[in-house]
Amino acid sequence: HVQLVESGGGAVQAGGSLNLSCTASSNEYRTYCMAWFRQAPGKEREGVAAIDSERRTSYADSVKGRFTISQDNAKNTVYLQMDSLMPEDSAVYFCAAKSGWFYNFDDTVYTFWGQGTQVTVS
């Protein structure tokens, strides 16, 4: 079992940047596939980026070239660097973890979830 805590959300103007952090309660997370999802009001939750235990990364088409997922094992933390933000990026961003490799952004297979952090782009 691993607990996930997100931070780094906030309000920013279009074109700006934010760096979200997801800190895991144990280094067990290193064996997991870690992902960022987001959910805007009235919309379904969607996958944004993922990184597996081999540090292979995957991105939704909507954020490719603008968002970067990375991890720092010394800090048990996964990051989501978000650049060139647009109003449509506004959402609650969630960190999630699952065992095994990344296959897709099916949120039903992710076992552990953080509480979410709000990102607002105006």
Side-chain angles (χ1 to χ4, degrees), residues 7-76:
S7 61
V12 64
Q13 291 188 336
S17 298
L18 283 173
N19 190 23
L20 305 184
S21 299
C22 171
T23 301
S25 57
S26 77
N27 59 19
E28 179 183 353
Y29 94 103
R30 300 175 191 179
T31 66
Y32 290 161
C33 172
M34 303 294 295
W36 287 94
F37 288 79
R38 66 186 181 187
Q39 187 167 23
K43 294 188 177 181
E44 292 187 353
R45 188 160 54 190
E46 62 174 353
V48 175
I51 185 167
D52 68 17
S53 59
E54 299 295 325
R55 301 206 177 195
R56 292 173 296 203
T57 58
S58 300
Y59 296 94
D61 288 342
S62 59
V63 306
K64 280 181 181 176
R66 300 189 299 121
F67 290 11
T68 304
I69 189 170
S70 62
Q71 65 186 72
D72 184 341
N73 287 341
K75 297 181 179 180
N76 285 357

